[in-house]
PDB file of all heavy atoms in Angstrom:
ATOM      1  N   VAL H   5     142.923  33.352 -79.629  1.00 82.00           N
ATOM      2  CA  VAL H   5     142.492  34.236 -78.561  1.00 82.00           C
ATOM      3  C   VAL H   5     141.830  35.578 -79.091  1.00 82.00           C
ATOM      4  O   VAL H   5     140.806  36.043 -78.566  1.00 82.00           O
ATOM      5  CB  VAL H   5     143.727  34.565 -77.676  1.00 82.00           C
ATOM      6  CG1 VAL H   5     143.240  35.640 -76.632  1.00 82.00           C
ATOM      7  CG2 VAL H   5     144.153  33.267 -76.860  1.00 82.00           C
ATOM      8  N   ASP H   6     142.446  36.068 -80.178  1.00 87.00           N
ATOM      9  CA  ASP H   6     141.847  37.262 -80.778  1.00 87.00           C
ATOM     10  C   ASP H   6     140.474  37.027 -81.412  1.00 87.00           C
ATOM     11  O   ASP H   6     139.617  37.849 -81.179  1.00 87.00           O
ATOM     12  CB  ASP H   6     142.784  37.781 -81.968  1.00 87.00           C
ATOM     13  CG  ASP H   6     144.056  38.379 -81.380  1.00 87.00           C
ATOM     14  OD1 ASP H   6     144.119  38.836 -80.191  1.00 87.00           O
ATOM     15  OD2 ASP H   6     145.047  38.585 -82.216  1.00 87.00           O
ATOM     16  N   ASN H   9     138.118  36.751 -78.486  1.00 86.00           N
ATOM     17  CA  ASN H   9     137.812  38.128 -77.856  1.00 86.00           C
ATOM     18  C   ASN H   9     136.833  38.865 -78.776  1.00 86.00           C
ATOM     19  O   ASN H   9     135.953  39.595 -78.362  1.00 86.00           O
ATOM     20  CB  ASN H   9     139.095  38.900 -77.655  1.00 86.00           C
ATOM     21  CG  ASN H   9     139.881  38.497 -76.488  1.00 86.00           C
ATOM     22  OD1 ASN H   9     139.323  37.952 -75.479  1.00 86.00           O
ATOM     23  ND2 ASN H   9     141.139  38.600 -76.524  1.00 86.00           N
ATOM     24  N   PRO H 125     150.726  36.858 -72.130  1.00 88.00           N
ATOM     25  CA  PRO H 125     149.340  36.872 -72.631  1.00 88.00           C
ATOM     26  C   PRO H 125     149.281  36.806 -74.177  1.00 88.00           C
ATOM     27  O   PRO H 125     150.023  37.557 -74.881  1.00 88.00           O
ATOM     28  CB  PRO H 125     148.751  38.111 -72.045  1.00 88.00           C
ATOM     29  CG  PRO H 125     149.850  39.027 -71.828  1.00 88.00           C
ATOM     30  CD  PRO H 125     150.966  38.165 -71.447  1.00 88.00           C
ATOM     31  N   PRO H 126     148.550  35.822 -74.625  1.00 86.00           N
ATOM     32  CA  PRO H 126     148.484  35.722 -76.222  1.00 86.00           C
ATOM     33  C   PRO H 126     147.482  36.772 -76.722  1.00 86.00           C
ATOM     34  O   PRO H 126     146.675  37.210 -76.001  1.00 86.00           O
ATOM     35  CB  PRO H 126     147.917  34.366 -76.353  1.00 86.00           C
ATOM     36  CG  PRO H 126     147.074  34.039 -75.215  1.00 86.00           C
ATOM     37  CD  PRO H 126     147.779  34.812 -74.072  1.00 86.00           C
ATOM     38  N   GLY H 127     147.600  37.066 -77.986  1.00 82.00           N
ATOM     39  CA  GLY H 127     146.665  37.947 -78.636  1.00 82.00           C
ATOM     40  C   GLY H 127     146.896  39.468 -78.451  1.00 82.00           C
ATOM     41  O   GLY H 127     147.765  39.807 -77.610  1.00 82.00           O
ATOM     42  N   ALA H 128     146.138  40.191 -79.113  1.00 88.00           N
ATOM     43  CA  ALA H 128     146.237  41.723 -79.040  1.00 88.00           C
ATOM     44  C   ALA H 128     145.864  42.131 -77.689  1.00 88.00           C
ATOM     45  O   ALA H 128     144.679  41.839 -77.267  1.00 88.00           O
ATOM     46  CB  ALA H 128     145.522  42.372 -80.092  1.00 88.00           C
ATOM     47  N   ARG H 129     146.585  42.963 -77.012  1.00 89.00           N
ATOM     48  CA  ARG H 129     146.270  43.356 -75.634  1.00 89.00           C
ATOM     49  C   ARG H 129     145.047  44.280 -75.610  1.00 89.00           C
ATOM     50  O   ARG H 129     144.191  44.275 -74.742  1.00 89.00           O
ATOM     51  CB  ARG H 129     147.399  44.071 -74.971  1.00 89.00           C
ATOM     52  CG  ARG H 129     147.848  45.359 -75.675  1.00 89.00           C
ATOM     53  CD  ARG H 129     148.949  46.007 -74.931  1.00 89.00           C
ATOM     54  NE  ARG H 129     149.380  47.349 -75.437  1.00 89.00           N
ATOM     55  CZ  ARG H 129     150.094  48.259 -74.828  1.00 89.00           C
ATOM     56  NH1 ARG H 129     150.623  47.970 -73.544  1.00 89.00           N
ATOM     57  NH2 ARG H 129     150.284  49.441 -75.317  1.00 89.00           N
ATOM     58  N   TRP H 130     144.756  45.074 -76.726  1.00 91.00           N
ATOM     59  CA  TRP H 130     143.684  45.959 -76.816  1.00 91.00           C
ATOM     60  C   TRP H 130     142.377  45.145 -76.934  1.00 91.00           C
ATOM     61  O   TRP H 130     141.424  45.605 -76.341  1.00 91.00           O
ATOM     62  CB  TRP H 130     143.797  46.950 -77.881  1.00 91.00           C
ATOM     63  CG  TRP H 130     144.885  48.024 -77.616  1.00 91.00           C
ATOM     64  CD1 TRP H 130     146.075  48.131 -78.140  1.00 91.00           C
ATOM     65  CD2 TRP H 130     144.716  49.050 -76.651  1.00 91.00           C
ATOM     66  NE1 TRP H 130     146.820  49.149 -77.687  1.00 91.00           N
ATOM     67  CE2 TRP H 130     145.983  49.814 -76.721  1.00 91.00           C
ATOM     68  CE3 TRP H 130     143.708  49.542 -75.846  1.00 91.00           C
ATOM     69  CZ2 TRP H 130     146.197  50.958 -75.966  1.00 91.00           C
ATOM     70  CZ3 TRP H 130     143.995  50.663 -75.153  1.00 91.00           C
ATOM     71  CH2 TRP H 130     145.193  51.375 -75.069  1.00 91.00           C
ATOM     72  N   LEU H 131     142.455  44.161 -77.690  1.00 91.00           N
ATOM     73  CA  LEU H 131     141.250  43.222 -77.792  1.00 91.00           C
ATOM     74  C   LEU H 131     140.905  42.579 -76.445  1.00 91.00           C
ATOM     75  O   LEU H 131     139.799  42.474 -76.069  1.00 91.00           O
ATOM     76  CB  LEU H 131     141.390  42.130 -78.824  1.00 91.00           C
ATOM     77  CG  LEU H 131     141.282  42.598 -80.291  1.00 91.00           C
ATOM     78  CD1 LEU H 131     141.500  41.456 -81.164  1.00 91.00           C
ATOM     79  CD2 LEU H 131     139.795  43.077 -80.496  1.00 91.00           C
ATOM     80  N   THR H 132     141.951  42.125 -75.709  1.00 89.00           N
ATOM     81  CA  THR H 132     141.743  41.529 -74.336  1.00 89.00           C
ATOM     82  C   THR H 132     141.183  42.554 -73.489  1.00 89.00           C
ATOM     83  O   THR H 132     140.174  42.270 -72.652  1.00 89.00           O
ATOM     84  CB  THR H 132     143.049  40.913 -73.832  1.00 89.00           C
ATOM     85  OG1 THR H 132     143.619  40.033 -74.770  1.00 89.00           O
ATOM     86  CG2 THR H 132     142.813  40.254 -72.549  1.00 89.00           C
ATOM     87  N   LEU H 133     141.717  43.778 -73.460  1.00 90.00           N
ATOM     88  CA  LEU H 133     141.181  44.843 -72.616  1.00 90.00           C
ATOM     89  C   LEU H 133     139.763  45.211 -72.908  1.00 90.00           C
ATOM     90  O   LEU H 133     138.940  45.428 -72.084  1.00 90.00           O
ATOM     91  CB  LEU H 133     142.116  46.071 -72.752  1.00 90.00           C
ATOM     92  CG  LEU H 133     141.733  47.265 -71.834  1.00 90.00           C
ATOM     93  CD1 LEU H 133     141.833  46.915 -70.396  1.00 90.00           C
ATOM     94  CD2 LEU H 133     142.534  48.523 -72.232  1.00 90.00           C
ATOM     95  N   GLY H 134     139.467  45.209 -74.264  1.00 90.00           N
ATOM     96  CA  GLY H 134     138.096  45.571 -74.716  1.00 90.00           C
ATOM     97  C   GLY H 134     137.075  44.502 -74.267  1.00 90.00           C
ATOM     98  O   GLY H 134     136.015  44.866 -73.755  1.00 90.00           O
ATOM     99  N   ALA H 135     137.532  43.190 -74.324  1.00 89.00           N
ATOM    100  CA  ALA H 135     136.693  42.152 -73.882  1.00 89.00           C
ATOM    101  C   ALA H 135     136.343  42.283 -72.350  1.00 89.00           C
ATOM    102  O   ALA H 135     135.215  42.071 -71.906  1.00 89.00           O
ATOM    103  CB  ALA H 135     137.232  40.790 -74.191  1.00 89.00           C
ATOM    104  N   ALA H 136     137.458  42.654 -71.567  1.00 90.00           N
ATOM    105  CA  ALA H 136     137.192  42.736 -70.109  1.00 90.00           C
ATOM    106  C   ALA H 136     136.400  43.944 -69.825  1.00 90.00           C
ATOM    107  O   ALA H 136     135.606  43.949 -68.864  1.00 90.00           O
ATOM    108  CB  ALA H 136     138.661  42.891 -69.541  1.00 90.00           C
ATOM    109  N   THR H 204     144.435  42.184 -66.938  1.00 94.00           N
ATOM    110  CA  THR H 204     144.903  42.663 -68.262  1.00 94.00           C
ATOM    111  C   THR H 204     145.635  43.972 -68.091  1.00 94.00           C
ATOM    112  O   THR H 204     146.674  44.138 -68.750  1.00 94.00           O
ATOM    113  CB  THR H 204     143.635  42.896 -69.171  1.00 94.00           C
ATOM    114  OG1 THR H 204     142.980  41.659 -69.207  1.00 94.00           O
ATOM    115  CG2 THR H 204     144.127  43.311 -70.508  1.00 94.00           C
ATOM    116  N   ALA H 205     145.129  44.885 -67.289  1.00 94.00           N
ATOM    117  CA  ALA H 205     145.774  46.218 -67.148  1.00 94.00           C
ATOM    118  C   ALA H 205     147.163  46.043 -66.405  1.00 94.00           C
ATOM    119  O   ALA H 205     148.140  46.771 -66.803  1.00 94.00           O
ATOM    120  CB  ALA H 205     144.918  47.110 -66.231  1.00 94.00           C
ATOM    121  N   VAL H 207     149.242  43.259 -66.380  1.00 94.00           N
ATOM    122  CA  VAL H 207     150.240  42.533 -67.214  1.00 94.00           C
ATOM    123  C   VAL H 207     150.556  43.172 -68.598  1.00 94.00           C
ATOM    124  O   VAL H 207     151.737  43.255 -68.844  1.00 94.00           O
ATOM    125  CB  VAL H 207     149.670  41.073 -67.448  1.00 94.00           C
ATOM    126  CG1 VAL H 207     150.624  40.311 -68.429  1.00 94.00           C
ATOM    127  CG2 VAL H 207     149.603  40.339 -66.097  1.00 94.00           C
ATOM    128  N   SER H 208     149.534  43.688 -69.183  1.00 92.00           N
ATOM    129  CA  SER H 208     149.712  44.173 -70.573  1.00 92.00           C
ATOM    130  C   SER H 208     149.952  45.684 -70.641  1.00 92.00           C
ATOM    131  O   SER H 208     150.505  46.168 -71.591  1.00 92.00           O
ATOM    132  CB  SER H 208     148.482  43.847 -71.498  1.00 92.00           C
ATOM    133  OG  SER H 208     148.366  42.401 -71.555  1.00 92.00           O
ATOM    134  N   PHE H 209     149.578  46.410 -69.603  1.00 93.00           N
ATOM    135  CA  PHE H 209     149.697  47.864 -69.667  1.00 93.00           C
ATOM    136  C   PHE H 209     150.514  48.455 -68.493  1.00 93.00           C
ATOM    137  O   PHE H 209     150.586  49.661 -68.390  1.00 93.00           O
ATOM    138  CB  PHE H 209     148.299  48.522 -69.647  1.00 93.00           C
ATOM    139  CG  PHE H 209     147.493  48.195 -70.880  1.00 93.00           C
ATOM    140  CD1 PHE H 209     146.727  47.083 -70.983  1.00 93.00           C
ATOM    141  CD2 PHE H 209     147.579  49.161 -71.964  1.00 93.00           C
ATOM    142  CE1 PHE H 209     145.935  46.777 -72.110  1.00 93.00           C
ATOM    143  CE2 PHE H 209     146.843  48.737 -73.165  1.00 93.00           C
ATOM    144  CZ  PHE H 209     146.068  47.623 -73.228  1.00 93.00           C
ATOM    145  N   GLY H 210     150.993  47.580 -67.585  1.00 92.00           N
ATOM    146  CA  GLY H 210     151.791  47.980 -66.472  1.00 92.00           C
ATOM    147  C   GLY H 210     151.086  48.962 -65.466  1.00 92.00           C
ATOM    148  O   GLY H 210     151.656  49.855 -64.858  1.00 92.00           O
TER     149      GLY H 210
END
Side-chain angles (χ1 to χ4, degrees):
V5 172
D6 284 345
N9 283 331
R129 63 176 187 167
W130 288 104
L131 280 177
T132 304
L133 181 65
T204 302
V207 174
S208 299
F209 294 87

